[in-house]
Amino acid sequence: MMTVHEIQNEILRMKREKDVCILAHAYQSQDVLEVADYVGDSYGLSEQAVKDERQGIIMCGVRFMAETCKILNPHKTVWLANPLAGCPMAEQLDLAALEALKKQYPGYAVVAYINTTSELKTACDVCVTSSSAVQICANLENDSILFVPDPNLGHFVARQLPHKTFAFYDGGCPRHMAATAADVNKARGAHPKALLLAHPECLPEVTSQADYVGSTTGIMAYAKKSNARQFIIATENSIVEHLSFECPDKQFYPLSVALSCMDMRVCTLMDVYHCLQGDGGEEMSLPEGIQEGAARCLRRMVELGG
Ligand code: 13P
Ligand code: SF4
């Protein structure tokens, strides 16, 4: 039997030998983060995928993140470390439903959260992530915006851009939407001195009570800088563990046990190991039409958000 440390060392050796970069979303487990070349939120991962010069990329995250890497790097080999890792929000709006929605809002710019399929991105004007959505919508020439598929992030953006008109799709992240105002009351009762840090995918009844609202890396940066010593975390519960390791002098509490994303958790250190050995993971490949249409939408994100 190999120890976790021995497996990590073998991964580090193989990735150097094979000229592969490992990108990990901040929700991944600690043993995976330790072998990654870069850890970040969706926007940071997209930027890093373009900057890195290695020929291969292993994405430890969910499918739309690996697709985004491939779209931005068509000549590189990109693997999704565990092919089971989807994102229920990305799969809830298809092209036909979007086309019907667009007919209800003629003249609106269509802004797609990056948590969408590549096919859907081909029919949108620009992509956004949780950390870039406000800036990109502010920079868009069009003042009427159809925001899909997450109305919670959409409302968070709209509240900050009151001069723009927004329309929404009735979707959202089933994991973040499981946290409620009752959870906030309970957590604040148990930890009255703690600040509440929330992801904008949470319901407005949660984000409206938060001391800070931001992306996964935004939440982590805020907690590290803050002079406060206790924090209630309203995003995937892996962030509670990561922050606890990074700031042992502070205490972090989950807002709810329901804030657990099975898709993000399905990827393991052994998936990364097998991917590098050539007997695991899924190599990303997209039809040409989809690759080009989605690339336009993602490149606009980098232009307007940079
Ligand atoms: P971030 O952009 O904050 O990484 O969010 C991605 C995501 O899937 C959150 O649930
Ligand atoms: Fe998708 Fe929600 Fe999981 Fe993020 S937390 S990957 S939005 S299901």
Side-chain angles (χ1 to χ4, degrees):
M1 189 183 117
M2 286 170 85
T3 64
V4 171
H5 191 60
E6 284 166 347
I7 291 163
Q8 287 177 321
N9 281 341
E10 187 54 14
I11 288 174
L12 296 178
R13 189 195 63 74
M14 284 194 286
K15 83 179 170 87
R16 274 194 298 273
E17 182 188 291
K18 298 183 181 209
D19 199 29
V20 166
C21 149
I22 299 176
L23 301 182
H25 187 267
Y27 290 161
Q28 294 295 295
S29 56
Q30 189 65 29
D31 52 354
V32 170
L33 299 192
E34 286 171 7
V35 295
D37 294 282
Y38 177 83
V39 177
D41 63 14
S42 305
Y43 193 82
L45 290 170
S46 313
E47 270 191 328
Q48 200 59 32
V50 177
K51 269 193 215 153
D52 198 274
E53 286 179 352
R54 281 164 278 206
Q55 273 320 296
I57 299 175
I58 295 179
M59 173 56 71
C60 305
V62 294
R63 181 166 295 273
F64 76 81
M65 294 175 177
E67 286 185 0
T68 300
C69 269
K70 181 65 187 175
I71 292 161
L72 293 171
N73 297 281
H75 304 301
K76 291 187 189 172
T77 310
V78 178
W79 295 270
L80 174 61
N82 188 317
L84 274 183
C87 165
M89 169 148 67
E91 285 146 27
Q92 64 197 184
L93 180 62
D94 66 16
L95 205 50
L98 177 65
E99 292 303 349
L101 199 59
K102 281 164 78 169
K103 287 202 180 99
Q104 289 178 43
Y105 297 101
Y108 279 55
V110 183
V111 174
Y113 192 19
I114 199 164
N115 301 40
T116 41
T117 63
S118 305
E119 190 187 34
L120 196 95
K121 288 180 177 82
T122 64
C124 297
D125 294 306
V126 63
C127 274
V128 296
T129 65
S130 58
S131 55
S132 62
V134 175
Q135 187 186 342
I136 291 173
C137 290
N139 287 346
L140 267 183
E141 273 178 24
N142 201 327
D143 281 343
S144 301
I145 292 172
L146 172 58
F147 195 100
V148 298
D150 185 357
N152 301 305
L153 175 63
H155 278 110
F156 169 73
V157 175
R159 280 200 296 276
Q160 293 175 71
L161 302 173
H163 59 289
K164 299 215 174 200
T165 305
F166 281 78
F168 305 105
Y169 174 69
D170 187 16
C173 165
R175 314 297 170 231
H176 284 82
M177 286 165 74
T180 62
D183 293 319
V184 175
N185 289 341
K186 200 170 150 197
R188 285 226 196 261
H191 312 291
K193 289 191 185 146
L195 298 185
L196 173 64
L197 314 185
H199 196 280
E201 288 175 16
C202 290
L203 294 169
E205 68 189 50
V206 172
T207 49
S208 62
Q209 299 194 64
D211 298 286
Y212 171 79
V213 181
S215 74
T216 45
T217 45
I219 288 175
M220 293 184 82
Y222 185 95
K224 283 186 224 167
K225 257 199 227 145
S226 170
N227 291 327
R229 310 206 71 76
Q230 294 182 35
F231 304 87
I232 300 161
I233 303 297
T235 191
E236 217 283 338
N237 283 331
S238 53
I239 300 298
V240 175
E241 187 189 357
H242 300 327
L243 279 170
S244 305
F245 281 128
E246 289 198 35
C247 314
D249 54 330
K250 298 180 177 177
Q251 279 177 291
F252 300 92
Y253 312 106
L255 175 63
S256 159
V257 291
L259 280 165
S260 176
C261 177
M262 300 73 136
D263 287 271
M264 277 288 182
R265 284 174 183 242
V266 78
C267 174
T268 66
L269 190 66
M270 287 315 287
D271 290 329
V272 184
Y273 178 88
H274 286 296
C275 202
L276 280 163
Q277 282 218 318
D279 59 2
E282 176 181 331
E283 190 180 328
M284 294 289 111
S285 123
L286 293 159
E288 216 171 281
I290 290 188
Q291 169 84 31
E292 278 162 23
R296 176 193 45 75
C297 193
L298 284 163
R299 276 198 296 263
R300 190 109 196 270
M301 169 181 87
V302 178
E303 272 162 38
L304 293 175

